[in-house]
Amino acid sequence: MPNRLSKRAAALSAAAVLVSSLLTGCASGFVDGELSSQKLIWNNCPAPSASEGGGTAPSPLPNGGRWQCATMKAPLNWDDPTGGTIDIALIRVKASGSPSERIGSLIFNFGGPGGSGVTALPAFAQDYETLRTRYDLVSFDPRGVGRSAGVKCEDDQQLDAFFQQDETPDNAAELTAFLNSTKQFNSACQKHSGRVLPYVRTTEAARDMDLLRQVLGDKKLHYFGISYGTELGGVYAHLFPKSVGRAVLDGVVDPTQDPAQSALGQAKGFQLALDNYARDCTSKSTGCPVGRTPQDVENRIVALLKRLDAKPIPGIFPRRLTQTAATNGIAQALYSKDFWGYLTEGLQRAYAGDGEVLMVLSDAMNGRDENGQYSNLIPANVAINCADEKPRYTPADVKAKLPEFRAASPVFGDFLAWGMLSCTGWPVAGAANHPNVSAPGAPPILVIGNTGDPATPYEGAKRMAEALGKGVGVEVTYKGQGHGAYDSRNKCVQSVVNGYLLNGKVPAAGTVCA
């Protein structure tokens, strides 16, 4: 099972969904010098591909900023740059201010792994208009994602069945079915994308970013990484400390944890976010329609999930809302406080036997659109995580850890514990227990932790700042809700980040925004 709650900011597209209710062929190899001197051809952007999530071509920004897209060649195998290339899909909008004030390019990664930067940057661009006064805003589909040698596994019909399965097995028969489904998914990935699977590690994406820096003509890499993008940024700083410019890491992955520790941290993080939602709902003078007290809200959710495990309810025809889909949908709604109203509506309707809203939220988490078409978000997420992460867990490992996970979260514990089997039987060996982000010699890097973050718990920010090294990691705390901080539109957070990226003003370590 893919750990679909992992390190993701791209899932925030759920709001738009609710409101509106392949491998690239390898060319003959360039030598490294030719790659770094390649000229990008920027044109009007096409509509996003199905693998990027589909939709329409991005509209110009309100002040007339026009989106441009290009393709960059990168080695399939960085250890053998002459052995063939892949295409890396790029998008940009030029700086809006005076050319004399332009700093360079600001490169974004919005998380995942598996999120398409080509679709995410236009979706969130208005939040970065202040930064655009001095930067070209640039993003990309990392290797394995979207139109950048996107990993392909099962087809849409097979994925529907995959996401309907019971991912918290209670007996031997359910466990066998779960393991067989995971094996079938992994085999499909190997069949359709075997050539690219060994080369989608975060270290290789970081080397692509340094090539992008050179191709864009920038002496330094100015960077804004969110969620998994913080891990990518930390790995880049480790590999290329002297090339780091002004960098911000927001919604921070803990680089010191192995996958089991990370999954347990997420169980605690999503439970904290659910508790915060329940307290907010039950504090309203109008009353909370899904519980009288925070504990009552949780008890009713646990009871709902137990009922769905035995008997799913109608979701989006012909699919039914299963325990797995409901858990996924609840988690999706906790990524942003803006979605809490959808969670209340989804729970109300599920209690009445209607699973549509929770299924829409679950579909958004899985990269499924209203037409039943999946992006490659989940295949890319699994492929990159499994290429990065060395541990391979067994059912016995999960069963041994279940009590600890259940204590951490009665709602999400089982789901995240069994998710530890995502990479079991994966055809490519994982690289390490956790990423190396030590970056001696790099300039200050802002590391922003959100105390209410479900997906990348707050404690990870301090550990990232420490792992980057003394004088490099500068921790900033945001006392808020949801995943990440800058896109919450908190004025303090945005002032701190804008002050650094635009003017080089380094905040005091330990700065707190509320």
Side-chain angles (χ1 to χ4, degrees):
M1 175 197 103
N3 183 357
R4 294 190 303 281
L5 306 189
S6 176
K7 311 172 193 171
R8 293 204 26 231
L12 298 180
S13 61
V17 175
L18 279 162
V19 171
S20 66
S21 233
L22 294 278
L23 175 62
T24 303
C26 295
S28 59
F30 289 76
V31 298
D32 198 25
E34 290 176 344
L35 281 171
S36 61
S37 62
Q38 66 184 288
K39 302 298 181 184
L40 298 176
I41 300 173
W42 295 97
N43 291 307
N44 291 336
C45 291
S49 68
S51 61
E52 292 172 312
T56 58
S59 301
L61 293 172
N63 68 355
R66 185 169 63 88
W67 293 102
Q68 298 176 309
C69 287
T71 299
M72 180 183 76
K73 297 289 184 183
L76 172 64
N77 178 2
W78 269 103
D79 292 332
D80 180 15
T82 64
T85 63
I86 57 173
D87 290 342
I88 304 295
L90 311 175
I91 190 168
R92 77 173 180 187
V93 61
K94 289 185 176 181
S96 61
S98 166
S100 64
E101 295 294 316
R102 179 181 176 276
I103 296 171
S105 305
L106 182 61
I107 297 176
F108 288 79
N109 181 283
F110 293 92
S116 166
V118 172
T119 56
L121 183 57
F124 296 112
Q126 291 196 50
D127 291 340
Y128 308 113
E129 275 294 278
T130 299
L131 298 176
R132 193 164 76 89
T133 58
R134 301 195 67 189
Y135 290 98
D136 297 345
L137 306 185
V138 179
S139 194
F140 63 106
D141 289 352
R143 55 175 56 215
V145 177
R147 286 188 287 124
S148 297
V151 173
K152 179 176 173 55
C153 298
E154 296 181 317
D155 63 27
D156 292 338
Q157 186 175 5
Q158 291 170 320
L159 286 172
D160 270 347
F162 182 67
F163 293 127
Q164 288 290 97
Q165 70 176 315
D166 186 344
E167 297 183 359
T168 56
D170 301 310
N171 55 50
E174 290 182 357
L175 177 58
T176 297
F178 176 60
L179 294 175
N180 286 342
S181 179
T182 302
K183 182 179 180 180
Q184 178 181 307
F185 179 88
N186 293 350
S187 296
C189 299
Q190 173 68 11
K191 176 181 178 181
H192 295 295
S193 297
R195 191 174 186 184
V196 77
L197 294 183
Y199 307 113
V200 295
R201 294 188 173 96
T202 298
T203 50
E204 284 138 345
R207 297 176 79 173
D208 292 341
M209 283 210 305
D210 198 59
L211 176 63
L212 177 58
R213 172 190 66 79
Q214 297 172 63
V215 172
L216 291 171
D218 291 337
K219 292 182 178 180
K220 301 286 186 179
L221 181 95
H222 306 296
Y223 181 73
F224 201 132
I226 304 166
S227 196
Y228 161 79
T230 66
E231 181 177 328
L232 176 58
V235 170
Y236 179 90
H238 171 70
L239 294 175
F240 306 102
K242 300 298 185 183
S243 295
V244 176
R246 298 173 186 175
V248 174
L249 308 182
D250 182 7
V252 185
V253 172
D254 187 337
T256 69
Q257 294 182 326
D258 65 27
Q261 293 169 327
S262 178
L264 181 61
Q266 284 198 322
K268 296 174 182 177
F270 276 95
Q271 186 63 43
L272 173 63
L274 183 63
D275 292 342
N276 291 339
Y277 156 78
R279 279 194 291 270
D280 178 79
C281 186
T282 55
S283 71
K284 297 183 185 302
S285 59
T286 54
C288 178
V290 293
R292 298 181 304 277
T293 66
Q295 188 61 54
D296 185 42
V297 172
E298 179 181 302
N299 291 344
R300 293 188 68 187
I301 290 173
V302 170
L304 170 68
L305 295 176
K306 187 175 181 179
R307 291 197 303 272
L308 292 173
D309 191 28
K311 187 178 180 180
I313 61 177
I316 299 174
F317 186 82
R319 295 175 300 145
R320 300 179 71 80
L321 183 75
T322 62
Q323 179 194 46
T324 296
T327 306
N328 213 33
I330 293 166
Q332 168 67 61
L334 297 175
Y335 270 85
S336 171
K337 191 174 182 179
D338 293 342
F339 297 170
W340 285 5
Y342 296 130
L343 178 54
T344 299
E345 180 185 356
L347 291 172
Q348 279 185 283
R349 290 174 62 173
Y351 294 146
D354 176 2
E356 180 181 14
V357 173
L358 289 183
M359 182 157 273
V360 169
L361 286 162
S362 181
D363 284 348
M365 179 76 92
N366 293 333
R368 186 188 195 273
D369 68 20
E370 62 273 21
N371 297 317
Q373 192 169 55
Y374 286 88
S375 72
N376 94 312
L377 173 63
I378 298 305
N381 179 275
V382 176
I384 296 167
N385 279 334
C386 295
D388 279 347
E389 298 170 355
K390 186 175 182 178
R392 298 293 188 254
Y393 300 106
T394 67
D397 294 328
V398 174
K399 290 176 181 178
K401 292 181 177 295
L402 271 174
E404 188 176 12
F405 275 76
R406 287 169 175 165
S409 175
V411 175
F412 302 104
D414 279 51
F415 188 67
L416 284 160
W418 286 108
M420 290 164 51
L421 298 182
S422 299
C423 297
T424 300
W426 188 252
V428 174
N433 289 328
H434 54 80
N436 190 340
V437 299
S438 63
I445 296 173
L446 266 57
V447 179
I448 309 172
N450 180 350
T451 58
D453 198 313
T456 51
Y458 170 66
E459 295 78 10
K462 180 179 181 180
R463 293 172 188 154
M464 174 67 84
E466 291 173 344
L468 286 167
K470 187 175 182 180
V472 180
V474 179
E475 185 182 4
V476 175
T477 293
Y478 168 51
K479 293 184 176 181
Q481 304 297 331
H483 186 33
Y486 190 90
D487 286 335
S488 72
R489 300 179 179 86
N490 177 271
K491 291 183 179 179
C492 171
V493 171
Q494 293 193 337
S495 176
V496 168
V497 171
N498 294 346
Y500 180 56
L501 289 177
L502 296 175
N503 303 309
K505 182 180 178 182
V506 181
T511 294
V512 177
C513 291

